[in-house]
Amino acid sequence: MPSEVHRRAFLQLLALAGAGSAALPALAEAGTGFPLVSRGKAATIVVGSGDQPGVRRVVGDLAADVERVTGVRPAVSFDVVPADGPVVLVGTLGHSPLVDSLVAAGRLDVRDVAGKWETSLSQVVDGRLVLTGSDQRGVIYGVYEVSRRIGVSPWYWWADVPPARQAELHLPPERFSLGTPHVKYRGFFINDENPALGTWAPAYFGPGKAPGFPNGFNHLFFAKIFETMLRLRANYLWPAVWGRAFAEDDPLNHATAKEYGVVMGTSHEAPMMRGIEEWNRHAVPAVRDSSGTIVTPGHDPYGGTGEWSFRRNGDAIKAYWTDGIRRMAREGFEGVVTLGMRGNGDVSLPDGDGIELMREIIAAERDILARELSTDVPQVWTLYKEVQRYWAQGLRPPDDVIVVFTDDNWGNVRKHPDLSLPPHPGGYGLYYHFDYVGGGRNYKWVDTALLANTWEQLHQAASYGNDRLWVANVGDMKGNELPLQFFLDYAWDPASLPAERLSTWERTFAAENFGSALASDIASVLHDYGRLQSRRKPELLNRRITVDAAGVITYDDQMTPFSLVDYRELDRVTEEWQDLAARTSRIAARVPAVHQDAFFELVGYEVTASANLYALRRAEFTNLLYAAQGRASANRLAAVTEARFADDLALAEKYNTGIAGGKWKGFQTQPHIDYGDVARYGPNAPWQQPELNNVALPDVIFPAVRRIEVPAAASLGVAVDGSAEAWPGAAGRPVLPEFSPYQSAPAQYIDVFNRGRTPFRCTVSAGAPWVRVEPRGGRVEEELRMTVRIDWSRAPRGTTTVPITVSGAGQSVVVDAVVRQPALPASWRRGFVEAGGYVSMEAAHCSANVPAGPVSWRRIPDLGRTGDGMTPFPVTAASRAVGAGPRLEYRLTLVTPGLVTVWAYLSPRSNVLPGDGLRYAVSFDDAAPQVVNITKATGADDMTMNRQWERTTSDNVNLTSTRHEVGAGPHVLKVWMVDPAVVVQKLVVDTGGLRPSYLGPPESMRWPG
């Protein structure tokens, strides 16, 4: 019988046959399955010496994996099948005489495999386990699938995941295939790799080989990347580009890719199989005056001016590209050639954006390919940023070129193929981001992907026929393990990963890396981590973005985006993070010692460090508020901020030196706190990481905390919920937010604080017996928070203002409590009810979801910042006439008649359709729907990446509004589909009392019915 550990290992892998293609057959019992290892002896692995290089190499990994699990290393034999003992026969169809002979003899049926792309097959034939495939990667994927089945995680090296030890390994004899991948080329882009990966890799693997460029990545580094790619069933790589040149940094880099069987590419800005650094290292651009005359000569290796300009230095540029294609032909590696051209430094072209220029550039590149290699080699044109304009203006590449659409760098796809037009014969691709450098701010530190959002966008891409090439920007790769694996799993088999299986995928990921006993708990932490992190990138926790009545957008890089005074918002979100960190700590205490490093790398660091950052920001911004109010406690919060900063440094130090024997020294060096510090590192600070001369700076606390002089004598201070002011001192009387028996917002409070060092006693008296203040007074050393509640059974109907007098240290402050208890007839008591001057509703909590034919709104769990998202399905549904589409209905009761504003909190989607913007419509009851063009209303432009776009992506929400005249009483709010791709997260009806906040007010109370 297989061991219980072995059974658990299988259960962990049930969904891992791709993205869940066919479930793996059960691990066999001893005596009935194939004995990979039995009674201390391992099967011999046999491969042909003339097989593909990637196949010849991967058998060594299989042998090493078996040894990792059992302690027994199988022998590897080339060409010779041993006369006795079990045998694993590994070979590619058409390249392995041993496998081909089985096919010829009718012993192995490969009709459903042969001729397909990257399709594997495993089957026991005549007592031998045959691992074959349609091509070398089909075989490689099948081999690595065996490794996963015996318990070796794809992240065994990059995340130090140990396999469970086993004495016996028996594999099922049934025929099995991973199937054919849905997306042909699937891979990732190592990018933005300084300082983390750029510091660690040369120190760990040795310097680059190019003279004068020791920070290059050599073939030892890329070998580890290639292996992990293939274990994840990726096949395509854009190599690192920040001061690095793949071909020059090690002459063995391309040869290593060929040895592993990996398809090489170059990024969207690097045409013709040459990274831009290859140009920059050897060219000095000429300097021209305003008239275009060269005033300082430049040079390059091709006798040109050194300028990266097709117009001004075209002959040299074409010669440079020619060398890239000649190298590809000479070295014989597999690749996808990037076409087009962008400016040096990942910017727009210096020669302008005329369509004829781009047409000329692509024609020149095609001529070089035809002359030096072949135009049959796969080619790609990526419509990144401004390049998409050429497509919009009608430019089409040759039919065989893959056209890659992109996201907006923040996980929102910018454009889909127009389904009303004939499809482009070369097919479509997708470039997606889990890491980014640029406006409105870099995000590079930790994983911030929300799987629900990634799923929804990938589902759209696949549904619109995008299946030729997908690549994800993963930054350093390490740190983005979960979203990268999900991206690749989905690319392999989208049909096996519907939204309903996202939680299953998360549990499987956790089980594969940590075992089944803790899988559910760890998956829950990872899920909630992604949900909380998606609200805002951690790098943006010190930026508040506001919009005035004229639409002018203002950034404040010394303020929290969350409200300090309304709805206890900053406290509530920080407490959610602290709860998650506490759960993580409890799980960590149960993680076996052998898994502690992996747990810290994949779970513990990102959760604990992010929670700590939220605690730091709460202390920091509360310190600044309290210092402005003159609170003595401001100085204590300054110390708390500094303690959390020390914790941040300590967590990074643990990552660098305290785990895996110091393996990751130098990796956790990414700054994430000092963004926006213009005085320290210059005008790029609002978006760029802290750095000088392209070298990252260690973090400091920004904005700096304040310490105030606190007098010895006691002095009364009072602050109230909903206000940043303090009394005595501020104008007027403090007023608490309106009280309602139906409120869902946190209870109103009064803070009594000391502006001196000497404690004092305070007392509180309310002007009505049904107003309760707890506590009613006490000793105030620094501060005392008093909660105000209403006894609604005694409070009068209507609106009443009740004074609350706070006294202490010889002073008094009167606080007004506005208490509103509306008389609601029984017939009004349905749905959500207004309180505090608003009604807040999560989009998924509709009272009715009314379809229109086959189209309806569908709930995507956790797609919103505070709940689920609702979006029309199918995603390819045609746009509908206003009032003719499916609708969501929300029953609600208003107590304030008049003009109301309905705020729709929408995911910040780009205009993916051919029209001039995505639209939805809103109506009350039977009134005519009001149409909102989201793109026009927000002004966000993902082409120019303007401030409106920066605002929506940074805040991860599109806020749009409509105004309606309504009476008091019950109503039905209706949200209508006009276009697909709109995601509704939340709806807030403002009747006049809505207060500023980042996430919007808590959801309102809801009556049944």
Side-chain angles (χ1 to χ4, degrees), residues 532-571:
L532 294 179
Q533 200 71 281
S534 72
R535 290 172 173 172
R536 194 168 186 85
K537 306 298 186 187
E539 290 86 348
L540 280 162
L541 291 180
N542 66 329
R543 170 175 287 177
R544 176 173 292 182
I545 305 175
T546 55
V547 186
D548 67 16
V552 177
I553 295 174
T554 301
Y555 292 167
D556 185 347
D557 285 341
Q558 300 189 52
M559 177 55 74
T560 170
F562 300 100
S563 178
L564 282 160
V565 297
D566 289 308
Y567 311 116
R568 292 191 63 241
E569 185 175 51
L570 181 58
D571 284 341

Side-chain angles (χ1 to χ4, degrees), residues 566-567 721 736-746 748 792 799 818-822 833-840 893-896 988-996 1001-1005:
D566 289 308
Y567 311 116
D721 186 15
L736 289 165
E738 182 181 275
F739 292 79
S740 169
Y742 311 112
Q743 78 177 51
S744 59
Q748 291 85 333
W792 294 106
T799 301
V818 179
V819 182
R820 186 182 191 189
Q821 179 159 223
V833 60
E834 176 192 342
Y838 66 86
V839 179
S840 178
T893 297
L894 301 180
V895 297
T896 306
V988 176
V989 180
D990 179 11
T991 63
L994 183 65
R995 292 180 277 149
E1003 188 170 36
S1004 297
M1005 194 196 89

Side-chain angles (χ1 to χ4, degrees), residues 384-386 388 406-415 433 435-443 457 536-537 540 543 545 547 551-555 686-687 906-911 934-959 998:
Y384 184 64
K385 290 188 177 179
E386 81 289 341
Q388 185 174 298
T406 73
D407 72 349
D408 63 351
N409 300 289
W410 293 74
N412 305 289
V413 175
R414 296 176 63 204
K415 190 64 67 177
H433 285 74
D435 165 282
Y436 171 60
V437 166
R441 185 163 287 177
N442 301 0
Y443 60 90
Q457 291 292 276
R536 194 168 186 85
K537 306 298 186 187
L540 280 162
R543 170 175 287 177
I545 305 175
V547 186
V552 177
I553 295 174
T554 301
Y555 292 167
W687 66 270
L906 312 170
S907 294
R909 297 299 186 238
S910 299
N911 180 24
I934 305 164
T935 310
K936 290 184 176 180
T938 63
D941 187 338
D942 59 33
M943 190 83 70
T944 62
M945 300 174 69
N946 58 5
R947 275 218 164 187
Q948 293 90 332
W949 170 85
E950 289 185 354
R951 175 200 173 203
T952 60
T953 51
S954 296
D955 289 352
N956 199 23
V957 74
N958 263 326
L959 268 177
Y998 178 68

Side-chain angles (χ1 to χ4, degrees), residues 480-517:
N480 275 317
E481 296 92 344
L482 183 144
L484 171 58
Q485 184 169 330
F486 181 82
F487 179 88
L488 294 171
D489 280 357
Y490 195 88
W492 184 274
D493 186 5
S496 70
L497 264 178
E500 295 78 12
R501 293 200 67 233
L502 290 179
S503 59
T504 300
W505 187 94
E506 290 168 326
R507 287 194 299 273
T508 303
F509 177 87
E512 185 175 25
N513 292 295
F514 302 108
S516 60

Side-chain angles (χ1 to χ4, degrees), residues 617-914:
R617 292 301 194 193
R618 176 171 64 175
E620 172 189 36
F621 289 114
T622 306
N623 157 263
L624 296 176
L625 173 65
Y626 285 9
Q629 294 175 338
R631 298 198 195 197
S633 59
N635 294 342
R636 174 178 53 81
L637 288 171
V640 172
T641 304
E642 291 161 349
R644 298 294 76 76
F645 183 72
D647 289 345
D648 181 89
L649 299 179
L651 286 165
E653 182 63 16
K654 178 180 178 179
Y655 203 119
N656 290 328
T657 62
I659 59 170
K663 175 180 176 180
W664 302 107
K665 184 178 182 181
F667 185 86
Q668 200 52 252
T669 49
Q670 177 62 52
H672 47 276
I673 296 173
D674 191 33
Y675 279 90
D677 193 350
V678 174
R680 185 181 184 217
Y681 66 100
N684 287 340
W687 66 270
Q688 179 61 282
Q689 68 182 7
E691 65 176 34
L692 286 174
N693 301 317
N694 296 318
V695 176
L697 296 171
D699 266 322
V700 296
I701 297 172
F702 181 80
V705 294
R706 285 184 58 195
R707 285 182 166 84
I708 61 175
E709 290 293 329
V710 181
S715 179
L716 171 70
V718 173
V720 299
D721 186 15
S723 175
E725 301 294 335
W727 291 264
R733 278 166 61 154
V735 181
L736 289 165
E738 182 181 275
F739 292 79
S740 169
Y742 311 112
Q743 78 177 51
S744 59
Q748 291 85 333
Y749 63 83
I750 299 171
D751 278 349
V752 181
F753 60 87
N754 197 345
R755 285 170 163 158
R757 298 196 301 271
T758 302
F760 66 88
R761 294 198 65 81
C762 76
T763 60
V764 177
S765 61
W770 39 267
V771 175
R772 298 174 176 173
V773 183
E774 298 175 350
R776 299 189 64 84
R779 177 182 171 89
V780 180
E781 295 185 358
E782 285 190 340
E783 57 203 9
L784 184 64
R785 175 158 290 184
M786 300 174 174
T787 302
V788 183
R789 291 184 171 85
I790 307 300
D791 181 351
W792 294 106
S793 66
R794 301 170 64 192
R797 298 289 183 184
T799 301
T800 309
T801 298
V802 178
I804 301 172
T805 303
V806 181
S807 302
Q811 295 179 293
S812 294
V813 173
V814 178
V815 178
D816 285 338
V818 179
V819 182
R820 186 182 191 189
Q821 179 159 223
L824 298 185
S827 61
W828 287 22
R829 299 181 179 226
R830 61 175 193 169
F832 295 96
V833 60
E834 176 192 342
Y838 66 86
V839 179
S840 178
M841 302 167 288
E842 293 296 331
H845 296 164
C846 54
S847 51
N849 185 345
V850 182
V855 184
S856 64
W857 292 84
R858 180 175 173 185
R859 182 179 69 90
I860 309 297
D862 293 317
L863 188 52
R865 298 186 306 174
T866 55
D868 304 334
M870 298 295 289
T871 189
F873 259 64
V875 296
T876 54
S879 299
R880 296 299 179 102
V882 177
R887 67 183 185 271
L888 299 169
E889 295 186 351
Y890 301 85
R891 290 185 175 183
L892 67 158
T893 297
L894 301 180
V895 297
T896 306
L899 194 63
V900 303
T901 301
V902 177
W903 289 98
Y905 291 64
L906 312 170
S907 294
R909 297 299 186 238
S910 299
N911 180 24
V912 296
L913 304 175

Side-chain angles (χ1 to χ4, degrees), residues 256-267:
T256 304
K258 184 176 180 179
E259 176 190 2
Y260 276 74
V262 166
V263 183
M264 290 305 302
T266 50
S267 75

Side-chain angles (χ1 to χ4, degrees), residues 977-997:
M977 172 204 163
V978 179
D979 293 321
V982 173
V983 178
V984 184
Q985 300 183 8
K986 182 174 187 161
L987 298 162
V988 176
V989 180
D990 179 11
T991 63
L994 183 65
R995 292 180 277 149
S997 63

